[in-house]
Amino acid sequence: MTDTSVSTHILDTSVGRPAEGVPVHLSVRASSGGIWSPHGSSKTDGDGRCKDLPALPEGTTHVRLHFDVEPYLTRQANAQQDAPRARDSGAFFPEVAIVFAVRPGEHYHVPLLLNPFGYSVYRGS
């Protein structure tokens, strides 16, 4: 049987570039409403990607990706001297948590499109 795996990347849509250095934590559970177990962590690379998250344990039915985006967004706001005043007020979303269902043997790539006042996700390839 093929391992069930997860990868992700973050694109900062406010600047059209990958978000580097964002901590990402992976948790798993074996049923809806079950207890979350930490399973791995990573940090986005220069291309905004986490390629080194561990394969999921057998029996995993749900995955949670937790992105600690506040430090990244704060760095971006401080680096942009001409940013609107409202943007300099800190991260509106200091963290993003994405929960999704998985099936055995599949790969799940879940990109995060991020900007200072919003985000979206989708199942990529």
Side-chain angles (χ1 to χ4, degrees):
M1 176 184 259
T2 305
D3 286 338
T4 306
S5 59
V6 173
S7 62
T8 188
H9 77 269
I10 305 174
L11 177 66
D12 182 340
T13 59
S14 69
V15 294
R17 299 194 189 291
E20 182 177 3
V22 176
V24 179
H25 303 281
L26 170 68
S27 298
V28 298
R29 68 182 182 193
S31 65
S32 186
I35 302 291
W36 287 107
S37 298
H39 187 63
S41 61
S42 186
K43 208 175 242 194
T44 55
D45 63 16
D47 197 29
R49 297 181 181 276
C50 289
K51 300 175 188 171
D52 58 351
L53 294 170
L56 304 181
E58 189 173 328
T60 297
T61 60
H62 296 86
V63 170
R64 180 174 58 200
L65 289 174
H66 179 268
F67 301 86
D68 183 12
V69 299
E70 185 171 32
Y72 169 80
L73 291 171
T74 300
R75 283 192 310 272
Q76 287 300 105
N78 292 337
Q80 294 181 349
Q81 298 301 319
D82 60 346
R85 185 159 174 52
R87 178 153 182 193
D88 294 339
S89 63
F92 184 68
F93 294 106
E95 55 191 63
V96 175
I98 308 302
V99 176
F100 54 98
V102 297
R103 291 187 171 180
E106 292 193 37
H107 175 71
Y108 295 86
H109 183 67
V110 183
L112 172 63
L113 304 177
L114 179 68
N115 70 65
F117 298 103
Y119 63 88
S120 65
V121 298
Y122 61 96
R123 182 174 180 184
S125 57

